[in-house]
Amino acid sequence: MRYFLLLVLFICTQSMIFAQNKTINGYVTDAYSGESIRGVRVSTDDGKRSTTNDYGYYSLTYSEAASSVTFSVDGYEDETMDLPVEQTRLDIILFATDTHVELQSVVVQASMQNKVSDVNMGVEKLAIKTLNQVPVLLGERDLIKSIQLLPGVRSLGDGQSGITVRGGNIDQNLILLDDAPVYNAAHLLGFFSTFNSDAVKDVTLYKGTAPAQFGGRISSVLDVRMKDGNNRHHSVSGGLGLIASRLNVEGPIQQGKSSYLISGRRTYADMFLQLTEEFKGNKLYFYDLNAKLNFELSDKERLFVSGYFGRDVLSIGDVFGINWGNATTTARYNRIWNDKLFSNTTFVFSDFDFRIDIKSTAPNFSIVSSIRDFSLRHEFQYYANARNEMRMGVSTIHHSNVTGGIVGLVGLEDTNEKRYGLESAAYFTNQYKPSDKFQIEYGLRLSHFGVLPGGNYYNFDSAGEVIDTIAGGSGFVASYFNLEPRLAMNYILRQDQSIKLSYTRNTQHIHLVSNSVAASPSDRWIMNTNYIRPQIGDQISLGYFRNLQNMRYDFALETYYKKMQNQADFKDAANEQDLIIERQLVFGEGRAYGVEMLLRKNQGKLTGWLGYNLSKSERRIDGVNNDNWYPARQDRTHDLAIVSNYALTPKLSLGAVFVLQTGNAVTFPVARYEMEGQEAYYYTERNGYRMPLYHRADVSLTWTLRQTERRLSELVFGVYNLYGRENPFIINFGRDESVANRTVVTQFALFKYVPSISWNFKF
Amino acid sequence: MKNLTYPIFLTLFILLFTSCEKEIEVDTRQVAPKLFIEANVVDQEGESGVQLRLTQPFNATQPYTQVMDASVEIVDESTGSIYQLIPDTLGIYRHPELLGEPGHLYHLRVMHQGVNYTAEARMPYVVPLDSLSQEAPNPIFQNFSDANLAIVKPNFIDPAEFTNFYQLRLFRNDSLQDQITAFNDTGFSGQPNIRRLFLEANPGDIVQVEKLDIDRATHDYLLGLWLNTNQTSATPTNPVSNISGNALGLFKVAAVQRAQITIIPM
């Protein structure tokens, strides 16, 4: 701590040395839509540089020797101009290189210039552009599915919700939509993500070291930003697909000052199914609704209010129903205090709830679970001088969580396992550039989780029976403090090459208990209690980054080692439906390590990338697998993805994806026996086997019928799983009904050639 | 009943989206055959017995090997009686005088190839089974099945004083149906049973329900066995046995009652 204070002191003295320098600051926005652009590199000709923040704001201090400033970012024309003599405020508009830059196909387009020069590694930025077309299931463009093609990021398989990053569990990713956590980012049991690409501006994924303003998950941060809404022109865009349609309306409220955006999507397969006798009376659909308002209160103050509502409904007549959904609301207030100080205040509400209604075979009842957050964060960004950019803030989140409940059972009181928690943090981070070649970002996050009284907390005996219930007084039932240091360093070897090293510690207070072979919305969120302790993750990574052939190609090689504490898994023969779920869990340690490689071609008719990951992810928990290390379910030895796009003519482009990866680790039995007249299976180890090799190719063809700055009409044809590979979703052992004393092993695959056609428009 | 929701969910999921199902070869590791014990002490004349068999690898196609050379002993601690069981022609170890009594504590001792396997369990008191009744399923389920569906409900009143555990075994025209139903009195403690059985049965079929009063360990084992045989679990494992010595199996001490009903059109 003493060294830390010395370091702060050192920085302050540095500020004085540069006191005679000048500063410019302002917002960078898109010329057509007025949308702020984040991640724009701002550099002066004396070699000083900065980037715009999440709200498109920058502040750059330069020496008197400088005469011009350049703004550059992928997808836009560079803008170079003379530095102003008098004023310090300089708002910039940039022109898109591609006339229909706003149109929606999700493409991973991280600039290698950024990758070489940015201090953080393991960061992937995704812009919404039409430069490439990643083929997707049923033509529904999808952020999460596109992210899954990056090295180190995977889904658990076809039809599975959630992503796993660098061997972490699916609950270890902080998924934020305009700063609001999204607890279940999947629709229709994982076929589609909740992010409607029409409403999304950009996405940043932190696989390695996330800056100290992020916390609460130990694997990654997926930071999704909604569009602000076009404040210059009214526009309507959307798409008609096989299973869903989208409509997006945006425009100015007051020209150039304020705007609105409303974006919706709904599937309609069930409407057609209603026409068939068999399906009549059943429901199966999801919808999303995004809305955002933003106001420029003055040239120094901005206010953003955004919301997301999404729901999935599945039901069989009136006898059985499942529905789940997220609702989030974010209000943000930005203020520029002076040319070096920027602040943001955020209020967030987030709710996820899941419900199963059963009204026939058994007594009628419902199973519920939910998590609801209210949070507040206040943050300052201080652009101290040309060498230091600081960020400091405080945040607090109030969580209410129903880990599981049975309600509506006749003759019985509702059973609800309720918990409350208060998650708070204070953080400081500084990006320090001692020289043009060396950058360091260091930070510290102090986090606290207090288990609040009023919920159900228990002490258990060794058999898992409740000994007593903790009543809880006025203070916390349990309290967990953690210090989380972050460090990232970048050394630029030559202009086109750099090496980076980083270390980060994260803690996690909210955990997902997955009760099935397939991750599903019925998985339950639980929080720290007196019994469940926070997960702690330490990650160290090292990387080498290089541009080749004048940025035609770029190459990244990263290696990481991750150590995880307090990792939960089910004990042997756990009752996964137990309402008091924590007593079915056992806790231990985890480790994950690997090498990621990404080679990308950025220019020419053929663009795309090749990503490869060699990795291992293991757990060791007392009482599981004879106390030995065992592979995590998401452990993948090899993982390869090739994504390419070929422009056949200016109006026709062909996209293709190929993925090849080691199958998930699974538990298979080694022998059979018989109990109660049933065939039973003898297991000797956890996750000791592998699902078959997973591979799949998808293609798409985009035919642009009409395209101007304001209008677009395009047809997208696609085939998912082109050669019909039957990648198993589940493998089951069962008695052969026709041959005595024989066991059959059956695999179920979900998709085989899924063709699609969709029409996208804008006017 | 909670255990039913997930399979319904999964089945629905598979019904809606599965495009392909096929048999595959899986190469599992070879292990030495392991003893599994199915031991029952019940309050019905001639129905108590112990069966000892060995596990089979997946590539084997012969019946399970019966173990006939073990020493099997059951002790009724409440009376002090010791019963030495010997195998009958079917390979099931029996003793002509062994008859379970509700409330009595029983010990199982098996010795095989130098290894001792022991267990103890107390027979629960009898909760009288009054009758069976038939109910009509919601017509919507019929859309998902070509067979005729029926619902049968055993009628009994749960005593309020204790947590009671039950098992239901279902026979259709004398054939045991592939379902394991074990549950406790959550939701109807001190009240009439609310648990129903769902099955495929045609009018005229005779459906018999065996209701067993079981202890907690047996209840937990049966739930574990249900997960083990259905494999919907995230972490499939062996059910926790009440038998020591690292054996597979269960020492079930239960009070048994039976009732039957002829299915009528509904």
Side-chain angles (χ1 to χ4, degrees):
Chain A
M1 197 66 195
R2 202 175 59 193
Y3 294 108
F4 183 71
L5 290 174
L6 278 174
L7 205 57
V8 174
L9 199 67
F10 171 69
I11 294 154
C12 294
T13 47
Q14 291 244 324
S15 327
M16 287 187 279
I17 298 167
F18 289 91
Q20 72 275 32
N21 290 337
K22 285 182 161 181
T23 301
I24 47 168
N25 73 112
Y27 286 101
V28 180
T29 51
D30 178 274
Y32 175 71
S33 67
E35 290 271 346
S36 61
I37 310 169
R38 68 167 167 170
V40 178
R41 292 179 297 282
V42 186
S43 51
T44 45
D45 55 353
D46 61 345
K48 300 292 181 283
R49 57 197 151 86
S50 183
T51 50
T52 56
N53 71 8
D54 296 336
Y55 304 93
Y57 174 78
Y58 74 95
S59 167
L60 178 66
T61 301
Y62 56 93
S63 68
E64 284 182 326
S67 61
S68 71
V69 58
T70 301
F71 297 83
S72 62
V73 67
D74 285 320
Y76 289 87
E77 304 283 353
D78 287 1
E79 181 74 47
T80 302
M81 59 181 60
D82 290 344
L83 282 160
V85 184
E86 290 287 317
Q87 92 261 26
T88 58
R89 181 70 182 260
L90 185 65
D91 291 340
I92 293 294
I93 55 169
L94 293 182
F95 290 88
T97 44
D98 192 303
T99 50
H100 61 293
V101 71
E102 283 183 285
L103 298 172
Q104 318 305 324
S105 89
V106 177
V107 137
V108 181
Q109 179 69 21
S111 154
M112 204 59 191
Q113 185 64 42
N114 264 344
K115 275 205 169 175
V116 169
S117 63
D118 273 6
V119 65
N120 284 305
M121 78 172 127
V123 181
E124 305 287 353
K125 290 191 166 81
L126 283 81
I128 308 289
K129 291 184 182 179
T130 49
L131 297 175
N132 273 334
Q133 309 276 344
V134 178
V136 284
L137 180 63
L138 290 164
E140 285 296 303
R141 282 162 188 167
D142 195 310
L143 282 180
I144 301 257
K145 300 281 175 206
S146 301
I147 284 171
Q148 287 167 356
L149 298 168
L150 292 165
V153 188
R154 281 301 165 253
S155 78
L156 288 173
D158 280 339
Q160 305 264 336
S161 58
I163 53 171
T164 154
V165 177
R166 288 186 170 173
N169 299 341
I170 58 169
D171 66 337
Q172 293 171 349
N173 310 305
L174 181 63
I175 300 177
L176 296 172
L177 178 65
D178 271 2
D179 286 324
V182 176
Y183 283 99
N184 186 306
H187 279 305
L188 218 68
L189 311 167
F191 295 128
F192 306 102
S193 80
T194 53
F195 302 111
N196 175 356
S197 56
D198 282 345
V200 172
K201 174 150 73 177
D202 63 15
V203 182
T204 309
L205 173 73
Y206 300 91
K207 297 184 287 186
T209 303
Q213 66 265 31
F214 297 110
R217 300 291 186 281
I218 66 170
S219 269
S220 78
V221 178
L222 182 67
D223 186 18
V224 182
R225 299 273 157 175
M226 267 170 69
K227 288 202 291 193
D228 299 331
N230 192 324
N231 68 13
R232 307 229 158 91
H233 311 277
H234 287 278
S235 86
V236 177
S237 60
L240 288 173
L242 280 183
I243 69 148
S245 278
R246 298 167 280 120
L247 188 68
N248 181 68
V249 184
E250 57 187 301
I253 299 170
Q254 191 189 356
Q255 188 71 24
K257 295 272 183 199
S258 54
S259 63
Y260 69 91
L261 174 143
I262 300 170
S263 191
R265 172 170 68 160
R266 191 194 189 279
T267 60
Y268 41 59
D270 60 318
M271 294 180 184
F272 297 115
L273 289 171
Q274 291 298 339
L275 304 174
T276 66
E277 197 52 42
E278 269 196 355
F279 199 81
K280 208 169 182 178
N282 300 326
K283 288 180 188 159
L284 172 70
Y285 65 88
F286 69 79
Y287 66 84
D288 289 306
L289 187 67
N290 294 75
K292 189 160 181 174
L293 293 171
N294 87 81
F295 305 96
E296 202 178 304
L297 303 173
S298 71
D299 66 340
K300 292 191 167 175
E301 292 168 296
R302 288 187 181 191
L303 179 69
F304 305 84
V305 182
S306 56
Y308 165 75
F309 310 91
R311 200 136 203 105
D312 281 65
V313 178
L314 259 124
S315 71
I316 302 176
D318 56 354
V319 295
F320 176 74
I322 311 173
N323 74 83
W324 70 93
N326 296 284
T328 71
T329 309
T330 309
R332 288 180 291 198
Y333 170 72
N334 290 174
R335 187 185 164 97
I336 301 169
W337 294 84
N338 58 43
D339 58 14
K340 290 184 172 185
L341 188 64
F342 177 90
S343 79
N344 176 47
T345 311
T346 306
F347 166 81
V348 166
F349 164 79
S350 175
D351 180 86
F352 170 71
D353 73 282
F354 171 76
R355 184 182 182 97
I356 301 180
D357 295 309
I358 291 164
K359 293 179 188 155
S360 182
T361 53
N364 298 348
F365 64 100
S366 301
I367 295 173
V368 295
S369 73
S370 65
I371 185 155
R372 173 174 291 188
D373 294 352
F374 289 96
S375 81
L376 198 60
R377 184 168 93 179
H378 188 59
E379 179 182 273
F380 285 101
Q381 275 174 266
Y382 178 52
Y383 300 83
N385 52 50
R387 302 210 155 158
N388 291 282
E389 287 183 20
M390 296 170 201
R391 206 187 251 264
M392 60 217 86
V394 287
S395 71
T396 188
I397 310 171
H398 180 274
H399 301 283
S400 315
N401 176 211
V402 176
T403 63
I406 293 188
V407 298
L409 196 56
V410 179
L412 188 79
E413 271 184 49
D414 290 354
T415 321
N416 266 323
E417 288 299 322
K418 279 188 188 160
R419 314 279 164 82
Y420 304 95
L422 195 66
E423 184 177 348
S424 308
Y427 57 87
F428 169 83
T429 180
N430 183 32
Q431 205 178 95
Y432 172 49
K433 297 165 204 156
S435 77
D436 289 347
K437 294 208 156 196
F438 184 59
Q439 263 190 83
I440 175 168
E441 182 168 314
Y442 51 87
L444 191 66
R445 184 180 172 92
L446 171 67
S447 72
H448 174 257
F449 188 90
V451 180
L452 290 168
N456 309 50
Y457 308 105
Y458 308 97
N459 287 314
F460 304 104
D461 66 14
S462 57
E465 292 301 315
V466 174
I467 303 170
D468 57 10
T469 304
I470 300 170
S474 53
F476 293 124
V477 172
S479 204
Y480 301 101
F481 274 105
N482 281 285
L483 268 182
E484 305 170 23
R486 314 279 162 95
L487 179 71
M489 289 185 283
N490 179 12
Y491 185 76
I492 298 173
L493 298 168
R494 287 196 338 227
Q495 202 187 350
D496 60 351
Q497 285 178 46
S498 68
I499 50 168
K500 302 184 194 184
L501 177 70
S502 76
Y503 163 74
T504 182
R505 164 170 281 205
N506 274 292
T507 58
Q508 177 165 347
H509 310 284
I510 296 190
H511 327 277
L512 186 69
V513 181
S514 184
N515 60 7
S516 57
V517 279
S520 79
S522 65
D523 297 347
R524 288 185 270 169
W525 287 98
I526 56 171
M527 301 193 297
N528 291 348
T529 65
N530 56 310
Y531 185 77
I532 302 167
R533 305 175 62 78
Q535 300 182 53
I536 300 173
D538 292 281
Q539 184 178 172
I540 184 159
S541 42
L542 179 69
Y544 171 72
F545 302 83
R546 177 161 194 183
N547 294 325
L548 297 155
Q549 292 189 10
N550 199 20
M551 296 187 52
R552 269 176 87 80
Y553 295 91
D554 56 55
F555 175 75
L557 183 71
E558 294 186 43
T559 174
Y560 62 91
Y561 184 89
K562 208 150 69 167
K563 183 170 171 277
M564 296 166 272
Q565 300 173 47
N566 299 326
Q567 298 299 289
D569 203 340
F570 280 111
K571 66 183 188 186
D572 280 349
N575 172 10
E576 295 164 9
Q577 314 289 336
D578 195 347
L579 288 185
I580 305 171
I581 194 69
E582 62 263 38
R583 61 180 166 185
Q584 304 296 335
L585 301 175
V586 279
F587 300 89
E589 57 185 325
R591 63 186 179 200
Y593 44 94
V595 181
E596 291 169 4
M597 192 203 79
L598 185 67
L599 177 68
R600 191 193 311 253
K601 184 170 184 293
N602 301 314
Q603 295 165 25
K605 281 194 163 182
L606 179 72
T607 53
W609 73 87
L610 186 156
Y612 172 73
N613 184 15
L614 175 71
S615 66
K616 204 160 187 58
S617 179
E618 297 174 300
R619 302 290 179 271
R620 202 202 65 76
I621 295 172
D622 285 342
V624 177
N625 202 46
N626 304 316
D627 303 349
N628 293 319
W629 284 98
Y630 62 94
R633 191 168 152 237
Q634 63 271 22
D635 176 47
R636 297 277 162 77
T637 313
H638 302 283
D639 193 338
L640 173 78
I642 300 170
V643 178
S644 62
N645 191 68
Y646 187 73
L648 295 165
T649 72
K651 294 209 160 189
L652 272 183
S653 75
L654 187 68
V657 166
F658 175 71
V659 291
L660 174 74
Q661 49 196 238
T662 311
N664 285 344
V666 284
T667 305
F668 283 155
V670 291
R672 65 162 178 263
Y673 61 108
E674 193 177 75
M675 290 298 294
E676 297 277 322
Q678 309 277 308
E679 185 163 290
Y681 304 101
Y682 174 46
Y683 294 94
T684 53
E685 58 194 321
R686 190 168 292 188
N687 293 346
Y689 291 88
R690 290 284 166 179
M691 296 289 264
L693 195 68
Y694 182 100
H695 56 94
R696 195 192 79 225
D698 312 327
V699 289
S700 71
L701 180 73
T702 305
W703 181 19
T704 309
L705 304 170
R706 182 176 181 195
Q707 183 182 351
T708 64
E709 188 184 48
R710 289 189 160 207
R711 288 169 196 272
L712 172 90
S713 172
E714 67 174 17
L715 278 171
V716 183
F717 305 89
V719 184
Y720 181 90
N721 199 1
L722 180 68
Y723 54 86
R725 162 75 178 174
E726 294 180 24
N727 288 303
F729 170 66
I730 296 175
I731 289 178
N732 250 314
F733 286 69
R735 187 192 303 229
D736 190 330
E737 298 299 339
S738 48
V739 182
N741 303 312
R742 184 171 179 269
T743 300
V744 282
V745 185
T746 314
Q747 74 162 41
F748 297 89
L750 287 175
F751 304 113
K752 207 173 168 179
Y753 336 104
V754 185
S756 67
I757 176 168
S758 52
W759 176 58
N760 297 317
F761 62 87
K762 181 181 168 162
F763 55 85
Chain B
M1 79 199 111
K2 279 175 279 164
N3 294 304
L4 268 176
T5 58
Y6 186 70
I8 291 175
F9 190 49
L10 195 73
T11 309
L12 180 76
F13 186 39
I14 289 169
L15 272 176
L16 288 168
F17 298 107
T18 299
S19 60
C20 21
E21 174 189 336
K22 70 175 180 191
E23 191 182 329
I24 55 163
E25 292 283 317
V26 169
D27 193 16
T28 62
R29 278 177 268 282
Q30 295 289 316
V31 289
K34 192 172 167 70
L35 184 70
F36 66 96
I37 301 174
E38 206 166 3
N40 294 302
V41 173
V42 294
D43 61 344
Q44 301 288 317
E45 200 95 34
E47 292 182 17
S48 300
V50 176
Q51 192 169 17
L52 305 178
R53 287 177 286 176
L54 297 175
T55 59
Q56 289 273 25
F58 287 110
N59 56 9
T61 50
Q62 67 270 38
Y64 295 102
T65 307
Q66 300 264 14
V67 172
M68 309 290 272
D69 59 346
S71 143
V72 178
E73 190 176 275
I74 285 176
V75 179
D76 180 344
E77 194 186 277
S78 308
T79 61
S81 312
I82 299 174
Y83 304 94
Q84 289 288 343
L85 280 66
I86 46 168
D88 65 9
T89 49
L90 294 170
I92 298 171
Y93 290 75
R94 294 190 191 277
H95 190 283
E97 286 160 32
L98 176 58
L99 177 65
E101 286 276 340
H104 287 201
L105 181 67
Y106 294 90
H107 293 267
L108 169 74
R109 290 177 197 147
V110 173
M111 168 98 137
H112 177 242
Q113 292 184 340
V115 184
N116 274 311
Y117 304 94
T118 62
E120 65 168 53
R122 187 182 296 278
M123 186 177 292
Y125 288 98
V126 177
V127 176
L129 172 64
D130 303 326
S131 63
L132 290 184
S133 50
Q134 188 189 344
E135 295 177 3
N138 189 303
I140 198 107
F141 287 110
Q142 204 63 63
N143 288 341
F144 293 93
S145 175
D146 295 332
N148 189 58
L149 302 174
I151 289 174
V152 170
K153 188 173 101 174
N155 297 308
F156 60 90
I157 295 177
D158 177 79
E161 304 89 79
F162 314 101
T163 303
N164 297 290
F165 300 91
Y166 304 103
Q167 182 188 4
L168 298 176
R169 280 156 59 93
L170 182 67
F171 297 82
R172 176 184 157 208
N173 299 331
D174 291 332
S175 136
L176 177 66
Q177 301 296 294
D178 275 358
Q179 63 189 62
I180 298 167
T181 310
F183 57 106
N184 63 25
D185 57 14
T186 301
F188 67 100
S189 184
Q191 295 180 32
N193 170 44
I194 52 175
R195 189 61 183 254
R196 295 150 168 89
L197 292 166
F198 206 75
L199 76 157
E200 293 181 351
N202 297 312
D205 284 351
I206 293 169
V207 169
Q208 186 184 59
V209 173
E210 208 175 86
K211 172 183 154 293
L212 293 86
D213 297 296
I214 55 176
D215 63 1
R216 180 189 291 269
T218 301
H219 166 266
D220 292 353
Y221 180 89
L222 292 172
L223 287 186
L225 182 65
W226 185 89
L227 287 170
N228 176 291
T229 59
N230 284 276
Q231 300 161 53
T232 59
S233 157
T235 48
T237 48
N238 307 311
V240 176
S241 174
N242 59 355
I243 303 171
S244 72
N246 193 26
L248 297 171
L250 173 69
F251 178 41
K252 179 157 83 176
V253 176
V256 181
Q257 296 164 85
R258 298 184 176 96
Q260 66 180 47
I261 192 171
T262 305
I263 298 297
I264 53 166
M266 277 189 139

